[in-house]
Amino acid sequence: MPTTAAGVIFLLFTIVVQALGRVWTNSAPLPPEIAHKILFSLPIADVTRVGSLSKSCRAFHLSNPILNFTAFPSDSTRTFDRRLQLFNSLDGFFIHRGTNKVHSVSIDLECRYHFRETGIENCCRLETSRVMGWIGNAIACDVEALTVSLFFRTEIQEEDDFPVTQIEFPSCVFSSGSLRYLAVNMRSAILKGPCFSSSSISNLVRLSLRNVTVEDEEGFCKWVSFSCRFLKKLLLECVNGLENIIIVSSSLEVFWVKCPSAFHLEVSGDKLEDVQIDWDSNRTDRIVLHISAPNLKHLKWVGHLMKNLYLGEFNCLDEVEISFFKSDGLGGFLSLHDYVSARDQFVCSIGSAKVLILTQWALETLFGEYFTHASFYNVWYLRICISRTIDDKLVRAMVFLFKGVPNLNTLDISSNIPSIEVGTNAFGFPKGYWELQGLDFISQLKEVTIELTNGSNGIRLAWYILEHAQNLKKMIVICFPNLPHHSGFMTKLKRTRILSNATVVIQEKKESKYF
């Protein structure tokens, strides 16, 4: 009796086939498109079981245009020998189905070894080559969507530490005229120069590469820029061999990249609307970032402020999300002059944003020391993610930012790690300090959520908002009674003179692993 969801669906399908058996065999077969929809989400093991029911079912399962080589039974993948038997079966499946049209192929396989096994490297090479053969078969069947994930592990080694010999990825994938969607996640694959011939036009619409190795970075960038004329979404994550990424595309709309080993990143396109960059390199004096996207709507940047930063005008910017890592000094390796120049240029470039999301270190980096003025007149929503506590340094940065958002409607201040062990420097600013700042946005505020951290700075900010936000409609205050100054917050709040008719909600979090 099947116990998995896939097995249950297979059982239901078997019942349907048996119930309709007379119809199926009397010149009125179940329409293939209906049958395929019933089984499209099943892994290949269950689809194969369907093929064993009758000759008609066998013909049907061999013509199935959606192949999911996923969710294999654990007994079939537990050891190398059993996986080899599985591979032989799948090879036979491809032989029998011939060149029947394939719409989608998904391959998701995790190969585990015992850490004391010998000859692991040769076994991995063999398994990788078999998967490469399936990919070639899929291309021969004019596949439109291809997803490949292949991992190797032992009980004591994760994927990143596993010694894998790389095998060339089939070049026919990149010259395929039928392929529209490609996603590859496998450390054992190397993409060599012949893959990126610019002589043929690629019809790819979406391309995702994770943990692969690119041998010819210049050829790859030129192929994306000039041959992928219909590409709308490009995702590059931990791709080895890409130190200089230069993409110029007239079709690209979404560009996501995580490039810890890159030194130069340049992306340009008039249709670009979404750019997300995760660049964890502290050599901020050497790396180069260049973005030219006049119609950009969403920008997400995880990394460090850098010296060589070149950003064009963003005329349609809706949302900016910045998450900087904590650096020693001013931006790590930057001099004071370089730091101020890069910071001012970046703040000016994102000035048209409507939604602004900042981590604590990003806020302190962009609006901390040596900052004078910010202009974010379009910002209506601001979220600040506090790493530890609202300390005195953060308060100064918040004031600079608050002065530049006069039309702010919604303020959300959250804390990732409320802790009793931090916050000794979070008591320096009384409520009167906020009153002296002349913050224009306070009269525009309608909704506020503030998660209090250790110290009194956050509490005094909350009091200030309640006593001065005349158009406030709702305020949520999240406090931790186990933290100092929080236990009596409810009592003090009842004595606070609330200027508006706002609904005030106090949420207490009594259980936390940090106490």
Side-chain angles (χ1 to χ4, degrees):
M1 181 68 66
T3 56
T4 64
V8 172
I9 296 175
F10 163 71
L11 179 60
L12 292 174
F13 184 81
T14 303
I15 296 172
V16 171
V17 170
Q18 292 174 346
L20 297 178
R22 186 175 301 176
V23 177
W24 197 304
T25 57
N26 289 336
S27 302
L30 190 68
E33 60 273 14
I34 297 179
H36 288 151
K37 285 183 178 180
I38 295 175
L39 285 184
F40 84 96
S41 61
L42 288 184
I44 192 66
D46 291 317
V47 176
T48 303
R49 293 191 189 106
V50 172
S52 65
L53 296 176
S54 67
K55 291 184 178 180
S56 299
C57 289
R58 176 177 173 80
F60 157 72
H61 108 274
L62 289 176
S63 66
N64 185 17
I66 301 177
L67 305 179
N68 291 327
F69 289 8
T70 61
F72 294 107
S74 58
D75 289 342
S76 301
T77 59
R78 185 170 298 165
T79 65
F80 170 73
D81 290 335
R82 292 190 178 183
R83 288 194 297 271
L84 207 56
Q85 294 177 6
L86 174 65
F87 292 172
N88 291 336
S89 175
L90 294 176
D91 287 344
F93 169 78
F94 270 113
I95 291 174
H96 285 103
R97 78 178 312 280
T99 57
N100 285 324
K101 170 69 178 178
V102 177
H103 173 73
S104 171
V105 174
S106 298
I107 302 172
D108 189 353
L109 185 63
E110 182 178 285
C111 303
R112 287 189 173 271
Y113 291 87
H114 191 276
F115 71 96
R116 292 181 179 177
E117 287 187 62
T118 58
I120 292 179
E121 191 168 342
N122 290 332
C123 293
C124 292
R125 178 188 291 272
L126 177 60
E127 292 188 291
T128 302
S129 65
R130 300 292 285 274
V131 173
M132 297 297 189
W134 303 343
I135 295 173
N137 285 329
I139 295 299
C141 296
D142 293 331
V143 66
E144 296 181 17
L146 177 61
T147 303
V148 184
S149 295
L150 179 62
F151 301 93
F152 296 95
R153 289 187 176 91
T154 68
E155 291 87 344
I156 61 174
Q157 284 180 312
E158 292 299 323
E159 169 75 5
D160 292 342
D161 301 322
F162 197 94
V164 175
T165 300
Q166 293 179 319
I167 294 181
E168 184 175 354
F169 197 79
S171 59
C172 60
V173 171
F174 298 92
S175 60
S176 169
S178 63
L179 199 60
R180 301 292 186 272
Y181 173 83
L182 175 63
V184 181
N185 185 1
M186 51 191 303
R187 287 181 60 236
S188 55
I190 181 169
L191 282 57
K192 293 190 175 182
C195 294
F196 310 122
S197 172
S198 59
S199 59
S200 59
I201 301 301
S202 170
N203 291 315
L204 277 173
V205 176
R206 298 179 63 185
L207 174 62
S208 172
L209 299 177
R210 287 185 171 98
N211 300 306
V212 301
T213 297
V214 173
E215 186 180 74
D216 180 8
E217 66 174 16
E218 183 178 0
F220 171 77
C221 293
K222 288 183 177 180
W223 175 76
V224 171
S225 299
F226 301 110
S227 296
C228 298
R229 298 181 182 179
F230 308 101
L231 190 64
K232 293 184 178 181
K233 184 173 183 178
L234 175 62
L235 186 153
L236 305 173
E237 180 177 341
C238 299
V239 178
N240 297 312
L242 291 183
E243 294 186 351
N244 297 282
I245 304 174
I246 303 175
I247 304 295
V248 181
S249 174
S250 59
S251 62
L252 199 61
E253 297 175 2
V254 178
F255 179 63
W256 296 353
V257 60
K258 183 176 182 179
C259 50
S261 61
F263 287 96
H264 185 107
L265 174 58
E266 181 176 344
V267 59
S268 176
D270 290 341
K271 292 186 178 181
L272 268 173
E273 295 183 354
D274 185 357
V275 173
Q276 300 188 32
I277 300 170
D278 188 339
W279 201 351
D280 185 11
S281 174
N282 60 2
R283 293 306 314 207
T284 52
D285 57 335
R286 297 181 180 180
I287 58 178
V288 178
L289 174 62
H290 187 173
I291 301 176
S292 177
N295 296 306
L296 191 67
K297 293 182 178 180
H298 177 230
L299 172 64
K300 181 178 180 180
W301 183 9
V302 178
H304 300 269
L305 187 66
M306 60 189 65
K307 174 183 177 180
N308 301 303
L309 182 64
Y310 307 98
L311 303 179
E313 292 186 5
F314 301 139
N315 301 319
C316 307
L317 205 55
D318 288 330
E319 180 177 324
V320 174
E321 184 176 354
I322 309 298
S323 178
F324 283 162
F325 298 112
K326 187 176 182 180
S327 301
D328 296 329
L330 300 173
F333 293 89
L334 300 186
S335 66
L336 175 59
H337 176 270
D338 292 337
Y339 160 74
V340 172
S341 176
R343 181 201 61 193
D344 290 350
Q345 180 195 359
F346 180 70
V347 171
C348 180
S349 296
I350 63 174
S352 62
K354 299 177 179 66
V355 174
L356 193 57
I357 302 172
L358 302 171
T359 62
Q360 178 170 350
W361 311 128
L363 180 57
E364 292 182 358
T365 300
L366 297 175
F367 305 100
E369 295 180 279
Y370 310 104
F371 192 77
T372 56
H373 181 66
S375 297
F376 293 96
Y377 296 108
N378 296 327
V379 169
W380 66 269
Y381 177 92
L382 172 64
R383 183 166 70 206
I384 301 173
C385 304
I386 309 300
S387 299
R388 300 306 295 270
T389 186
I390 303 178
D391 57 26
D392 296 350
K393 182 179 181 181
L394 181 61
V395 168
R396 297 186 184 94
M398 291 171 69
V399 168
F400 279 124
L401 176 57
F402 287 165
K403 289 183 177 180
V405 287
N407 298 308
L408 186 66
N409 293 150
T410 304
L411 174 63
D412 185 351
I413 300 177
S414 62
S415 174
N416 293 332
I417 310 177
S419 174
I420 197 172
E421 298 177 356
V422 298
T424 56
N425 59 341
F427 299 87
F429 292 92
K431 185 177 60 175
Y433 172 80
W434 294 101
E435 296 173 347
L436 293 174
Q437 301 309 312
L439 302 177
D440 294 337
F441 83 94
I442 199 69
S443 62
Q444 303 295 325
L445 272 182
K446 293 180 174 60
E447 294 187 15
V448 175
T449 300
I450 180 168
E451 186 169 356
L452 302 178
T453 61
N454 196 13
S456 62
N457 286 340
I459 294 175
R460 289 163 180 165
L461 173 59
W463 284 343
Y464 165 72
I465 293 174
L466 285 171
E467 292 184 352
H468 295 82
Q470 61 192 38
N471 292 310
L472 190 66
K473 294 182 179 179
K474 183 177 181 180
M475 182 166 180
I476 299 175
V477 181
I478 304 171
C479 61
F480 298 81
N482 291 341
L483 283 176
H485 295 81
H486 286 219
S487 57
F489 180 76
M490 178 68 78
T491 303
K492 295 178 181 178
L493 181 64
K494 291 179 180 179
R495 299 196 300 263
T496 300
R497 181 181 60 86
I498 301 178
L499 183 61
S500 67
N501 295 320
T503 299
V504 180
V505 179
I506 306 297
Q507 297 180 1
E508 294 186 2
K509 292 188 176 181
K510 297 182 179 180
E511 296 182 3
S512 175
K513 64 181 180 179
Y514 303 109
F515 301 127

